[in-house]
Amino acid sequence: KAGVTQTPRYLIKTRGQQVTLSCSPISGHRSVSWYQQTPGQGLQFLFEYFSETQRNKGNFPGRFSGRQFSNSRSEMNVSTLELGDSALYLCASSPGRGQAVFGYTFGSGTRLTVV
Amino acid sequence: GESVGLHLPTLSVQEGDNSIINCAYSNSASDYFIWYKQESGKGPQFIIDIRSNMDKRQGQRVTVLLNKTVKHLSLQIAATQPGDSAVYFCAENEGGGADGLTFGKGTHLIIQP
């Protein structure tokens, strides 16, 4: 079966702009989680969506937001980009029944560079 | 095989040797632990997991050991192969998902021929 698909793979944006990243989960998976990966901070949890509702949120500013559609596809948005937002953004999907972290499958990520 | 202390950014081993990657976790209430492998240009790939009611679990060529007393997790890879070259991360979770996974610092495993 198809894996988790993230688009685009690479993105370059300018400070102050906004960006939207997309994640299509594995068919049948209803939970989508987002993580930010940087060399300095490592992998950090952003938020998790299940059945179009944000269930959990990490410690990130309000500039980071997301949503989930009825087909479980998810988008995350970062507004007013800062240089420090340059990172690999990873999406993970899981069946979501019960515990979100069980059965995580990660996508290959979107590499965002802010200049 | 080569045994290392708590977290090394890089571990170099000879092909065919056993590798041991260590991880210290911080939350004594964590009850679920996972090891991931991340190759260049890819997302983390699940290797093996263990719950807090166990202290050892084996998979294909891999073993995870959990010591809750000292909050220590290790991943043992038997007969290391060139394809094992990657960055390895441990991750922990409390209660199944409320705050996502907390990842440790990765260890870059380098396989020498």
Side-chain angles (χ1 to χ4, degrees), chain B residues 29-55:
Chain B
S30 290
D31 54 12
Y32 181 58
F33 305 88
I34 315 172
W35 279 99
Y36 286 97
K37 170 186 180 183
Q38 187 174 24
E39 297 173 286
S40 181
K42 297 183 179 180
Q45 177 187 354
F46 173 90
I47 300 173
I48 192 168
D49 60 1
I50 189 168
R51 302 199 187 209
S52 59
N53 61 352
M54 302 173 68
D55 53 23

Side-chain angles (χ1 to χ4, degrees), chain A residues 9-10 35 37 42-45 48 55-57 88 90 98-109, chain B residues 31-32 34 36 38 41-46 49 51 89 93 95-105:
Chain A
R9 286 298 309 274
Y10 303 93
Y35 287 80
Q37 185 174 25
L43 279 144
Q44 294 184 287
F45 173 70
E48 185 249 346
R55 288 199 294 192
N56 304 295
K57 182 172 170 58
L88 180 67
L90 291 158
Q99 317 294 342
V101 298
F102 299 157
Y104 260 7
T105 300
F106 280 90
S108 293
Chain B
D31 54 12
Y32 181 58
I34 315 172
Y36 286 97
Q38 187 174 24
K42 297 183 179 180
Q45 177 187 354
F46 173 90
D49 60 1
R51 302 199 187 209
F89 293 95
N93 177 263
D99 297 313
L101 289 174
T102 299
F103 282 83
K105 297 174 184 174

Side-chain angles (χ1 to χ4, degrees), chain A residues 5 18-19 24 49 60-61 65 67 69 74 88-89 91 98 102 105 108-109 115:
Chain A
T5 303
Q18 72 158 9
V19 67
S24 293
Y49 286 86
F60 277 82
S65 63
R67 59 177 175 169
F69 302 94
S74 177
L88 180 67
Y89 289 88
C91 161
F102 299 157
T105 300
S108 293
V115 297

